Amino acid sequence: MQIDEFGGPEVLQVVDLPKPDPGDGELLIEVSRVGVNFADTHQRENSYLARYEVPLVLGGEVAGRTEDGQRVIALLASGGYAEYAVAPKQMVYPVPDGLDDEEALALLIQGLTAWHLFRTSAKLAPGESVVVISGAGGVGSLAVQLGKPFGAGRVIATASTEEKRALALSLGADAVVDPAVEDLRAALVEANDGNQVDVVLEMSGGRVFSACAEALAPFGRIVAYGIASREQNTLETGRLMRKSRAVVGFWLMHCLGRREMVEEPLADLFERAARGELRPQIGETYALSDVRRAHEDLQGRRTSGKVLLDPSR
């Protein structure tokens, strides 16, 4: 699936391209599943943190088999929306027995993001309260599950529908909040037993970011890792100082050149999944030729869990 111009889902086109030829330090992967991420919709518009050039094949993560038959998952700069992809060897990881391709792929970008949001960016302390925005999404559903094992005292999730709120509760959230409520700040404080919150994992931006920032306790941290609303926020240093609050940004790309920031957390996630402590939530698997609908559903907040593409369809 290639784009020749930036724009809406309609720019995604089925094309026939030669099988990619791996260069030095690269592996060819026959792709079984492709991970679809919200960042892909930004890349399609060329509105993401990095800038791209067309023609472009989107897709930053795949699962499949190498030429010697090994089951792997891999991180790519681009090129994942295809039947074959090439990836740098240092960004290819074996899939352990007991995990299928879908589960392993759900733990790659989304799992690593959730892990680093807690450990690297928020530096969660034992007993602190955590708000997970979009607690039924790909990252959010994993973050909700990791909250208590990582030491959170209370986990609060937001979700936009009754079904998604029920899912977040089943995954371990202590309380759920509809992000569309008129006074989101008050709703988050009420959900935290009347107390301001310590950590917010935030990927929406706009009014949600503003309300979450105002719900923070002194020394609270909001970690911004997405701008799903396309509405960026501005900060005033005086307001941060008066409340002793912190805002931290996170982008997984800064971990990719440091294998220890991928390999060790991924091993931890795989082990937790193997023990049954972490349940990757697999959403809909779309045909590769139906990727436009996948993008529309993602942006329309009609998905939950990990969204996948099947390149054989």
Side-chain angles (χ1 to χ4, degrees):
M1 299 300 300
Q2 181 172 274
I3 62 173
D4 295 318
E5 61 180 322
F6 297 110
E10 70 280 356
V11 302
L12 289 156
Q13 304 289 336
V14 177
V15 298
D16 285 319
L17 297 175
K19 183 188 296 186
D21 186 20
D24 291 341
E26 293 182 326
L27 292 174
L28 178 67
I29 298 170
E30 184 175 3
V31 178
S32 63
R33 291 292 184 272
V34 184
V36 183
N37 299 290
F38 210 94
D40 298 353
T41 68
H42 285 286
Q43 291 171 358
R44 191 198 67 230
E45 301 168 347
N46 207 24
S47 63
Y48 201 46
L49 301 175
R51 286 291 181 258
Y52 296 85
E53 295 182 358
V54 291
L56 175 67
V57 176
L58 299 179
E61 58 173 351
V62 299
R65 291 186 180 272
T66 58
E67 291 181 283
D68 61 4
Q70 185 180 28
R71 292 176 60 228
V72 297
I73 51 177
L75 291 162
L76 323 169
S78 62
Y81 288 13
E83 294 174 300
Y84 289 89
V86 292
K89 288 181 180 179
Q90 67 268 26
M91 290 290 101
V92 177
Y93 303 90
V95 176
D97 294 337
L99 279 183
D100 59 29
D101 289 357
E102 291 86 352
E103 293 170 320
L105 204 52
L107 293 173
L108 189 53
I109 286 179
Q110 272 85 9
L112 287 172
T113 296
W115 195 99
H116 281 293
L117 290 176
F118 280 120
R119 295 290 205 221
T120 305
S121 296
K123 299 189 183 300
L124 182 70
E128 288 190 314
S129 56
V130 175
V131 173
V132 179
I133 301 301
S134 191
V139 174
S141 62
L142 295 170
V144 166
Q145 295 179 72
L146 290 173
K148 293 293 180 66
F150 280 9
R154 187 167 176 81
V155 176
I156 301 156
T158 72
S160 59
T161 68
E162 287 289 350
E163 182 181 10
K164 290 181 179 182
R165 289 191 283 273
L167 174 60
L169 287 171
S170 74
L171 295 175
D174 296 296
V176 290
V177 172
D178 183 347
V181 296
E182 184 175 350
D183 192 343
L184 180 56
R185 184 207 67 82
L188 294 175
V189 170
E190 181 181 357
N192 196 35
D193 295 330
N195 301 307
Q196 292 176 305
V197 301
D198 298 307
V199 169
V200 180
L201 309 181
E202 208 285 313
M203 44 62 68
S204 180
R207 64 171 291 274
V208 173
F209 178 95
S210 297
C212 290
E214 289 304 310
L216 286 176
F219 304 108
R221 290 88 69 203
I222 181 168
V223 184
Y225 70 98
I227 318 170
S229 69
R230 268 62 173 178
E231 298 176 20
Q232 296 204 40
N233 298 77
T234 57
L235 300 173
E236 296 178 1
T237 52
R239 292 176 66 85
L240 294 178
M241 293 167 61
R242 280 194 295 273
K243 301 291 186 178
S244 292
R245 294 165 173 163
V247 177
V248 183
F250 177 80
W251 188 22
L252 185 64
M253 289 297 292
H254 291 126
C255 298
L256 302 189
R258 310 176 187 185
R259 192 170 175 92
E260 74 280 0
M261 295 189 77
V262 175
E263 198 166 49
E264 294 174 17
L266 197 58
D268 181 31
L269 293 166
F270 283 166
E271 290 169 7
R272 292 177 186 274
R275 295 194 299 264
E277 298 173 5
L278 188 62
R279 294 183 289 131
Q281 300 300 298
I282 307 303
E284 185 172 350
T285 298
Y286 298 77
L288 182 64
S289 57
D290 204 16
V291 67
R292 292 181 183 179
R293 184 168 65 87
H295 276 225
E296 290 168 353
D297 289 348
L298 261 179
Q299 289 188 260
R301 308 294 178 87
R302 293 187 291 271
T303 67
S304 62
K306 183 62 181 176
V307 177
L308 301 165
L309 301 176
D310 180 352
S312 69
R313 295 162 49 203

